[in-house]
């Protein structure tokens, strides 16, 4: 009877672990997708508009094409680079998670993945912060330093940037969730 | 002889745990100090300068006092709020760590502290990113959108902001280190 009980317990535990691993795989795939779409959305973000610029008051204004590109702003370049790195890492960690599931997980690998998850969380958060901070000035402008808002002209550009930003924030939330799940799993076994 | 060995082992382990706990207390105090000084440095950052503004070409320029304050920029306000929150949390978590050391650590509390450490890492990183992104435009300006640099005028203001930013980044690095140490401790026991 005791052995039977032990087996039952073992099976339940195994199913539980497999469930957690599958949710980890799913979350890593979600992080990969979110950061990939965020990087692409911002990386291809470009809008050209014909703007009327008055040159001399006696003549009609000149119609000049003006373009907004993501790489005009350091913050947006940083955003694309970080999201691309996080996207690549999410894919690599997904493969490593699946490989360690088959071959048995190792302490060193688990610690490396946790550390890199933490680095990705920090990098993605800083990139989202930078894009949010600069984007807010693009929307509102800043009268104190005479920085004029640009999102009233480049609406499509700003909307696409905002969509990328939301996806990136969701991506960092996934990394946070992965880290909480991992901590919960380890602490459950410890205490 | 075996009991002696066991005792020796137990003592070494206890000393090891105490060492980790003391380093955790030290790191939390460091995080508290860094985020406190960062919040204060940026929170009191203010500079007034007399700027010569030409009004009419036939008259000499007007000397106008111009002031730069941290709360003129949403990113800097966010920076002060986040660093103040992280500073308060570092102090609370320091007290909780010391209390749990005396009363024996509990799984629920440990998980709560790990989760909040993660949230602080994300918040501090985003605040540093926002301040860095906006600060870089202050230093370099952006010719594409006619945002002029301001750090050539408000040098002291920008240097103080940079000092606050460096301290905040160090603060988030401490939270990252705390999380790596905690993961290493748990995974060592697990594998």
């Amino acid at each position: 009877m005791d052995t039977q009980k032990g087996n039952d317990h073992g099976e339940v535990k195994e199913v539980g672990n497999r469930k957690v691993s599958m949710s980890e795989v799913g979350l890593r795939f979600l992080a990969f997708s979110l950061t990939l779409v965020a990087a692409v959305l911002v990386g291809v973000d470009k809008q050209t508009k014909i703007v009327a610029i008055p040159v001399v008051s006696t003549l009609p204004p000149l119609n000049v094409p003006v373009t907004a590109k993501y790489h005009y702003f350091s913050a947006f370049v940083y955003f694309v680079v970080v999201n691309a790195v996080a996207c690549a890492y999410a894919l690599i960690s997904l493969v490593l998670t699946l490989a360690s599931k088959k071959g048995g997980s190792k302490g060193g690998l688990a610690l490396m993945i946790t550390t890199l998850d933490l680095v990705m969380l920090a990098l993605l958060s800083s990139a989202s912060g930078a894009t949010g901070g600069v984007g807010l000035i693009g929307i509102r402008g800043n009268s104190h330093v005479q920085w004029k808002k640009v999102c009233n002209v480049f609406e499509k550009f700003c909307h696409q940037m905002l969509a990328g930003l939301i996806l990136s924030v969701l991506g960092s939330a996934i990394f946070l969730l992965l880290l909480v799940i991992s901590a919960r799993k380890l602490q459950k076994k410890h205490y």
Side-chain angles (χ1 to χ4, degrees), chain A residues 45-49 66-68 153-158:
Chain A
D45 203 2
K46 187 183 166 185
Q47 188 182 7
T48 302
K49 264 210 152 178
V66 185
T67 305
V153 180
F154 298 105
E155 274 189 342
K156 181 237 151 202
F157 179 83
C158 287

Side-chain angles (χ1 to χ4, degrees), chain A residues 145-161:
Chain A
V145 285
Q146 310 288 328
W147 292 352
K148 284 179 187 163
K149 58 183 170 189
V150 287
C151 285
N152 51 340
V153 180
F154 298 105
E155 274 189 342
K156 181 237 151 202
F157 179 83
C158 287
H159 285 156
Q160 196 164 323
M161 193 63 71

Side-chain angles (χ1 to χ4, degrees), chain A residues 43-190:
Chain A
V44 300
D45 203 2
K46 187 183 166 185
Q47 188 182 7
T48 302
K49 264 210 152 178
I50 305 293
V51 180
I53 297 173
V55 184
V56 189
S57 56
T58 50
L59 290 170
L62 273 180
N63 289 324
V64 181
V66 185
T67 305
K69 285 178 188 170
Y70 88 97
H71 63 78
Y72 286 173
F73 294 84
S74 307
F76 301 163
V77 174
Y78 179 61
F79 180 93
V80 172
V81 172
V82 165
N83 271 279
V85 168
C87 163
Y89 165 73
L91 193 64
I92 293 167
S93 69
L94 176 63
V95 174
L96 287 176
T97 305
L98 285 171
S100 73
K101 214 183 121 189
K102 278 185 186 168
S105 55
K106 284 162 195 167
L109 179 68
L111 184 61
M112 195 190 76
I113 288 182
T114 302
T115 307
L116 289 175
D117 281 355
L118 284 167
V119 172
M120 290 306 135
L121 173 65
L123 285 178
L124 280 175
S125 303
S126 67
S128 301
T131 299
V134 173
L136 203 62
I137 298 175
I139 294 170
R140 285 205 219 152
N142 192 312
S143 60
H144 301 288
V145 285
Q146 310 288 328
W147 292 352
K148 284 179 187 163
K149 58 183 170 189
V150 287
C151 285
N152 51 340
V153 180
F154 298 105
E155 274 189 342
K156 181 237 151 202
F157 179 83
C158 287
H159 285 156
Q160 196 164 323
M161 193 63 71
L162 182 63
L165 176 59
I166 292 169
L167 293 180
S168 175
V169 170
L170 288 176
S172 54
I174 298 291
F175 277 109
L176 197 148
L177 192 60
L178 275 166
L179 286 157
V180 172
I181 289 173
S182 159
R184 195 167 160 261
K185 212 168 81 177
L186 285 171
Q187 283 175 356
K188 238 183 185 174
K189 283 178 182 165
H190 181 218

